Amino acid sequence: MTDSPEQNESRDFIRERIRADLADGTTGALVTRFPPEPNGYLHIGHAKSICLNFGVAEEFGGRCNLRFDDTNPVKEEQEFITAIEADVRWLGFDWGEGAHFASDYFEQLYAWAEHLIEAGLAYVDDLSAEEMREYRGTLTEAGRESPHRQRSAAESLDLFRRMRAGEFADGARVLRAKIDMASGNINLRDPVLYRILHAAHPRSGTAWCIYPTYDFAHGQSDAIEGVSHSICTLEFEDHRPLYDWLIDNLPTPSRPRQYEFARLAVTYTILSKRHLTRLVDEGHVGGWDDPRMPTLSGLRRRGVPAAALRDFIGRIGVAKSAQTVEVAQLEACIREHLNQSAERRLAVLKPLRLVIENYPKGESELLDAVNNPEDPAAGRRQLPFSGELWIERDDFMEEPPKKFFRLAPGREVRLRYAYFVTCTEVIKDAAGEVVEVRCRYDPETRGGDAPDGRKVRGTIHWVSAAHAMAAEVRLYDHLFSRPDPGAEGEAFEDLNPDSLVALEDCQLEPSLTEAEIGQAVQFERQGYFAADPDSTPERPLFNRTVALRDSWAKIRKQQTAKR
Ligand code: ATP
Ligand code: MG
């Protein structure tokens, strides 16, 4: 799964830092963590953080915790905890003995809050949220001190204990750090450490009605877990001085150091839980695991192998400069993996009836087909063939233009793995639409080649009508119609109305009844597909993981040509 250690060590600035810290003894043992807030499902941006945190732990003989930063009970749910655990496991990582939760440290965090009050470094403030905002100042203007800032430690301690005891309403009071209202860094202008929230927590229930802020819980949770390298995204760079201040002023058992890297963005989608939550809540998608979602559960449902995702993350690298990656690069990576691993099947998505006039009536036979030309170990299978087939509507044209080499009146083509057929007649309905093509086959061409050496230009796929399995197949396109959704206005106005096309009367080769849920197969000439978890024997349902067309290769070619 990982490259050689020499490559890894110098692969990016984080790995370089870790190697140096281990070499000069700054760090005894490497400890990292992946710290999701359980307020949504994980997306592909999180995968970058997961692969980085778990990846370096693996590479440098360290340990990586899965820690839930569950400090905001209003938005957090057990459903999200369960989904996050499943997604991290699916990506291929193991956090060892049990997940960790910031909520497990509530008692310790509370004790440390009292410690700060006693040291004169925190105070209870009675300003309303709106007043606090007003007092905070702006980027260019210093803030003002709250009238409660000079309150005695004893008074603050008493009020803080009464906050905990539930005497006050939500928002009535907060605990703030006493740092510097004139600081150039707004995060140091007496940030809030605790707020009152009479809300049940998914894990601690109603034990608490005050909750630590993310900023107060995060660094201290790292310190409790002995995290040596606290790796996070760049938006927390400005919070680092606050985290360092807290660690300097608290008797924590260890001193984590924070390193920031750039978030991942991917074209034609959005990676923000706030937006993803809205997509789900407003019904723009079927749920968090809708195959169009950039979530790990959506990608899994779509048939993307975890290995392809890990590979993609490895290829894009880790740096400090903003990172927007072409979705085509992800698709190319998925294709590359599936080309190696996915078995081939025949499937007709838009069926047109083909009748072979000279094939013995009512008979059928089994033909030999290769499961995966890239992998001989995948073996072969038997395909039932008969005189009535389904072919792809797009593989026939009554008046074919130049370069159309598939079936047309009078033309001979190869039926994949089967015979040469020549079109003899076209049958239309009252509206003039082609409803059936009639052919004659050459029995000498069994297996797909002519003994007399004659060639055909086209090979098309087919499914025997009597043996076919009817199924629904869903084709997906980008969820948004522009590469940078929301760049000019509201992101939701850029939703792609054609992101889902459901084809309800597809005809698949019968061996697909045994397709495993989520396991991608290649429908020859079409793309990679995976059976959906909602698929049943009565109502089979397949999702297109990715089309065969390699648009990335095209883009790459254009790009190299430009250079
Ligand atoms: P969002 O902004 O999507 O709501 P978040 O940062 O609030 O995400 P968390 O649950 O706090 O979500 O994230 C857990 C970890 O994953 C954090 O360390 C965060 O920095 C990292 N992470 C989140 N989004 C990305 C991304 N797009 N690229 C890389 N890492 C990310
Ligand atoms: Mg966050």
Short mmCIF file of all heavy atoms in Angstrom, two decimals, residues 37 214 235-236 273, ligand 2:
data_model
loop_
_atom_site.label_atom_id
_atom_site.label_comp_id
_atom_site.label_asym_id
_atom_site.label_seq_id
_atom_site.Cartn_x
_atom_site.Cartn_y
_atom_site.Cartn_z
N GLU A 37 -15.22 16.02 13.33
CA GLU A 37 -16.37 16.37 14.15
C GLU A 37 -17.53 15.55 13.61
O GLU A 37 -17.79 15.58 12.40
CB GLU A 37 -16.67 17.87 14.02
CG GLU A 37 -17.78 18.27 14.95
CD GLU A 37 -18.20 19.73 14.85
OE1 GLU A 37 -17.51 20.52 14.18
OE2 GLU A 37 -19.23 20.05 15.46
N TYR A 214 -14.55 24.17 20.39
CA TYR A 214 -13.59 23.38 19.62
C TYR A 214 -12.17 23.84 19.93
O TYR A 214 -11.27 23.03 20.17
CB TYR A 214 -13.89 23.55 18.13
CG TYR A 214 -12.99 22.75 17.23
CD1 TYR A 214 -13.30 21.44 16.90
CD2 TYR A 214 -11.83 23.31 16.71
CE1 TYR A 214 -12.48 20.70 16.08
CE2 TYR A 214 -11.00 22.57 15.89
CZ TYR A 214 -11.32 21.27 15.58
OH TYR A 214 -10.49 20.55 14.77
N GLU A 235 -6.62 26.60 7.61
CA GLU A 235 -7.46 27.60 8.28
C GLU A 235 -7.21 27.64 9.78
O GLU A 235 -7.63 28.56 10.46
CB GLU A 235 -8.94 27.38 7.94
CG GLU A 235 -9.60 26.17 8.57
CD GLU A 235 -9.46 24.90 7.74
OE1 GLU A 235 -8.55 24.82 6.91
OE2 GLU A 235 -10.29 23.99 7.94
N PHE A 236 -6.49 26.64 10.30
CA PHE A 236 -6.19 26.64 11.73
C PHE A 236 -4.83 27.25 12.05
O PHE A 236 -4.41 27.28 13.21
CB PHE A 236 -6.28 25.22 12.30
CG PHE A 236 -7.69 24.69 12.29
CD1 PHE A 236 -8.09 23.76 11.35
CD2 PHE A 236 -8.62 25.17 13.20
CE1 PHE A 236 -9.40 23.30 11.32
CE2 PHE A 236 -9.92 24.71 13.18
CZ PHE A 236 -10.33 23.77 12.24
N LYS A 273 -18.91 20.47 4.69
CA LYS A 273 -20.01 19.74 5.32
C LYS A 273 -21.29 20.57 5.38
O LYS A 273 -22.38 20.04 5.29
CB LYS A 273 -19.60 19.27 6.72
CG LYS A 273 -18.92 17.91 6.66
CD LYS A 273 -18.71 17.34 8.04
CE LYS A 273 -17.51 17.97 8.67
NZ LYS A 273 -17.13 17.33 9.94
MG MG B 2 -13.93 21.55 11.35
#
